[in-house]
């Protein structure tokens, strides 16, 4: 049986949705929305608990941002790495990064994460600002990649948080804990997406944000390759004096749009996995469908999505499933709660529990090339039967599907606050790691596992 604390948390979750969002929906006034405060965790670039984190703003107009989780396995311990290679070659980095040497030993020692540090959320620009602070007022403590190319390349997991489309955050304490664990056990870079929330931003805003993050990751890989080409040309032509006008032009463009140094050094976007939790699983599935269309495949090159992991996905439908009929007052999500959530998420004039964004089982066909899929379901969850039905639906189209079913647990058991540090949550992360390890390089026959 589920614990008393899980039941109490479930009650507060459903009551909070009704009180904080129900009135806004009834009065059709989004100014009535009152979200609970987020217990946010600041980014820390110094490999706290074996993982370094930083925030990057992708789109200033929409506020889209991500948090990058880089596991320590990406680097060689004790190695002094030099960021700003491109800037220094152009003779413009001296004010940001002092050259390595005895006189600046304290600064470069900080690059290995010897002290606590944090990023402030604007990618490469933040790295530069923090470097300046380090050179003048103390050591810079964030991770600084090695520009020589001798860096460990890791697969990329793009993660979409839970929160019923209306709450949650990429940097909440529970999501930070979950993503750190994923980065460690999967030996992968985790990119947690801060997508826009309903009802202020209706469907398909969250889907658009997820797809935009993939385009941004693809762009980072292209920029990283261009930077490597410039570096190799410098080496082949004997340094800066041998650089021709064409190469100077490429270098100037790179200075204007530098790749994120962590991703440039360590991200292998040819091995990308989408992972979503609850409502985030709904987002991940929709983004995966966009990725495999002919337009998506061309637009996202060189990025390739090899798999998707859907943890207790938030789907619904007008025809109730056995689990929905059996557990009318289920943990976290029951029929009235699902209806409230999707009324908040869908456009006002397009609400239906059989909307394509809500009920994936009514789609006549899938785009060819859908990735291998892992579905994680909980024993005491109203959404379980619909997730299993979706696995059968995918199998009918030849998709490699695995279902991991966990006993005596509720919706959110591996990720929600108060449950993310349980043995079941840790076991779930290990199982996800095994599946990802298998599918980043190959696909196999569908199986089902039960715990």
């Amino acid at each position: 049986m589920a614990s008393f604390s899980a039941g109490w948390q479930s009650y507060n979750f459903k009551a909070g949705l009704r009180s904080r969002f129900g009135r806004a929906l009834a009065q059709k006034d989004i100014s009535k929305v009152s979200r609970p405060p987020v217990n946010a965790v600041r980014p820390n670039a110094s490999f706290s608990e074996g993982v370094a984190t930083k925030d990057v703003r992708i789109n200033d107009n929409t506020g889209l941002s991500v948090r990058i989780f880089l596991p320590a396995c990406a680097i060689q311990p004790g190695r002094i790495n030099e960021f700003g290679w491109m800037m220094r070659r152009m003779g413009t980095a001296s004010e940001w990064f002092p050259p390595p040497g005895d006189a600046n030993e304290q600064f470069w020692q900080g690059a290995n994460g010897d002290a606590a540090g944090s990023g402030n959320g604007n990618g490469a620009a933040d790295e530069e600002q923090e470097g300046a602070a380090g050179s003048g007022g103390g050591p810079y403590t964030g991770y600084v990649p090695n520009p020589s190319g001798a860096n460990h390349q890791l697969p990329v997991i793009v993660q979409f948080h839970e929160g019923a489309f209306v709450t949650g955050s990429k940097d909440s304490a529970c999501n930070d804990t979950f993503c750190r664990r994923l980065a460690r056990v999967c030996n992968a870079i985790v990119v947690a997406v801060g997508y826009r929330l309903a009802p202020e931003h209706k469907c398909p805003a969250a889907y658009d944000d997820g797809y935009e993050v993939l385009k941004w990751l693809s762009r980072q890989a292209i920029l990283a390759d261009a930077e490597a080409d410039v570096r190799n040309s410098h080496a082949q032509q004997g340094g800066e004096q041998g650089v021709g006008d064409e190469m100077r032009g490429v270098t100037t463009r790179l200075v204007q749009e530098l790749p994120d140094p962590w991703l440039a050094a360590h991200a292998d976007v040819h091995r990308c996995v989408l992972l979503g939790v609850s409502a985030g699983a709904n987002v991940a599935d929709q983004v995966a469908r966009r990725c495999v269309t002919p337009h998506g495949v061309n637009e996202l090159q060189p990025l390739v999505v090899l798999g998707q992991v859907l943890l207790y996905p938030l789907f619904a439908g007008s025809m109730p499933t056995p689990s929905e009929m059996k557990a009318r007052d289920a943990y976290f999500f029951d029929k009235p709660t699902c209806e409230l959530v999707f009324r908040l998420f869908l456009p006002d004039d397009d609400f239906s529990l059989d909307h394509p964004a809500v009920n994936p089982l009514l789609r006549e066909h899938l785009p060819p090339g859908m990735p291998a899929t892992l579905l994680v379901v909980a024993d005491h969850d109203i959404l379980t039967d619909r997730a299993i039905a979706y696995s059968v639906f995918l199998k009918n189209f030849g998709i490699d599907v695995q279902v991991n079913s966990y006993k005596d647990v509720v919706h959110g058991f591996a990720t929600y606050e108060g449950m993310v540090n349980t043995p079941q949550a840790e076991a779930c992360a290990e199982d996800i790691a095994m599946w990802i390890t298998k599918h980043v390089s190959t696909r196999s026959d569908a199986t089902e596992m039960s715990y």
Side-chain angles (χ1 to χ4, degrees):
M1 292 295 294
S3 66
F4 172 79
S5 62
W8 179 248
Q9 188 177 353
S10 170
Y11 170 81
N12 287 333
F13 173 79
K14 290 189 285 188
L17 282 179
R18 290 193 296 269
S19 64
R20 293 179 180 275
F21 297 94
R23 182 173 58 176
L25 181 64
Q27 299 180 9
K28 296 183 179 180
D29 183 0
I30 62 174
S31 67
K32 303 294 184 182
V33 169
S34 173
R35 286 190 175 84
V38 175
N39 181 18
V41 175
R42 289 179 58 84
N44 186 342
S46 60
F47 290 100
S48 172
E49 301 177 356
V51 179
T53 62
K54 69 173 177 180
D55 293 339
V56 180
R57 177 68 67 91
I58 293 177
N59 188 323
D60 289 330
N61 293 326
T62 64
L64 176 61
S65 63
V66 298
R67 173 161 292 183
I68 301 174
F69 296 79
L70 181 72
C73 67
I75 67 170
Q76 299 178 18
R79 187 185 185 101
I80 301 298
N81 295 322
E82 178 188 354
F83 174 66
W85 173 89
M86 182 63 65
M87 296 299 186
R88 192 169 288 111
R89 285 291 187 273
M90 291 293 291
T92 59
S94 58
E95 65 270 32
W96 293 325
F97 300 98
D102 295 339
N104 299 297
E105 180 179 1
Q106 185 184 27
F107 175 87
W108 287 106
Q109 187 176 20
N112 287 320
D114 296 336
S118 65
N120 62 6
N122 289 311
D126 291 342
E127 299 278 357
E128 297 158 9
Q129 293 166 5
E130 289 182 323
S135 59
Y140 168 68
T141 58
Y143 168 58
V144 178
N146 181 359
S148 69
N151 294 298
H152 190 193
Q153 296 285 301
L154 302 176
V156 178
I157 301 173
V158 181
Q159 190 260 358
F160 302 92
H161 64 77
E162 80 291 337
F165 301 111
V166 297
T167 64
S169 170
K170 70 180 187 336
D171 52 8
S172 67
C174 57
N175 201 65
D176 187 86
T177 298
F178 175 65
C179 290
R180 284 178 177 275
R181 179 178 296 145
L182 275 182
R184 286 195 302 267
V185 301
C186 296
N187 292 329
I189 296 172
V190 177
V191 179
V193 181
Y195 57 87
R196 287 171 289 174
L197 302 177
E200 297 91 337
H201 305 284
K202 298 277 192 174
C203 174
Y207 305 155
D208 293 342
D209 288 348
Y211 187 75
E212 184 174 353
V213 168
L214 295 187
K215 290 197 296 182
W216 176 77
L217 286 171
S218 175
R219 178 64 176 166
Q220 297 303 301
I222 293 171
L223 289 172
D225 288 343
E227 184 184 28
D229 289 343
V230 173
R231 182 169 61 245
N232 292 336
S233 296
H234 271 256
Q236 293 173 3
Q237 299 180 30
E240 189 173 350
Q241 292 182 349
V243 178
D245 293 339
E246 181 178 355
M247 188 55 64
R248 290 184 186 277
V250 173
T251 305
T252 301
R253 290 194 297 273
L254 277 172
V255 171
Q256 295 171 350
E257 188 181 1
L258 283 172
D260 178 88
W262 291 12
L263 298 177
H266 301 295
D268 180 1
V269 299
H270 298 91
R271 296 183 292 160
C272 182
V273 175
L274 307 183
L275 185 148
V277 180
S278 190
N282 180 301
V283 177
D285 184 66
Q286 288 286 335
V287 172
R289 292 169 183 272
R290 294 191 184 187
C291 293
V292 299
T293 63
H295 175 76
V297 171
N298 292 331
E299 189 173 35
L300 293 178
Q301 289 182 350
L303 182 143
V304 179
V305 175
L306 295 178
Q308 64 171 347
V309 180
L310 310 180
L311 282 77
Y312 21 88
L314 180 53
F315 299 135
S318 59
M319 294 294 294
T321 65
S323 63
E324 291 170 352
M325 292 186 291
K326 180 176 66 175
R328 294 183 179 275
D329 189 24
Y331 291 93
F332 293 97
F333 285 98
D334 50 26
K335 196 72 173 179
T337 304
C338 286
E339 182 173 340
L340 170 62
V341 165
F342 283 112
R343 284 190 180 277
L344 291 165
F345 179 63
L346 294 174
D348 295 335
D349 58 351
D350 198 19
F351 171 76
S352 170
L353 289 179
D354 289 327
H355 188 284
V358 180
N359 188 353
L361 303 181
L362 297 181
R363 296 166 184 160
E364 295 182 359
H365 65 278
L366 289 177
M370 278 291 286
T373 300
L374 170 65
L375 284 147
V376 174
V377 298
D379 189 23
H380 301 293
D381 186 4
I382 193 175
L383 304 176
T384 291
D385 283 351
R386 201 169 295 277
I388 294 175
Y390 186 47
S391 74
V392 175
F393 178 83
L394 292 173
K395 289 178 185 179
N396 289 338
F397 285 90
I399 308 303
D400 180 354
V401 182
Q402 176 173 309
V403 177
N404 288 5
S405 179
Y406 296 81
K407 304 297 183 183
D408 297 323
V409 291
V410 302
H411 185 94
F413 76 93
T415 53
Y416 281 18
E417 187 175 359
M419 295 183 279
V420 69
N421 287 316
T422 60
Q424 295 95 328
E426 294 176 357
C428 180
E430 294 284 354
D431 295 336
I432 291 172
M434 287 191 294
W435 186 90
I436 289 178
T437 299
K438 180 173 69 173
H439 286 85
V440 294
S441 59
T442 185
R443 295 187 178 189
S444 60
D445 294 334
T447 59
E448 183 164 348
M449 301 172 64
S450 210
Y451 300 85

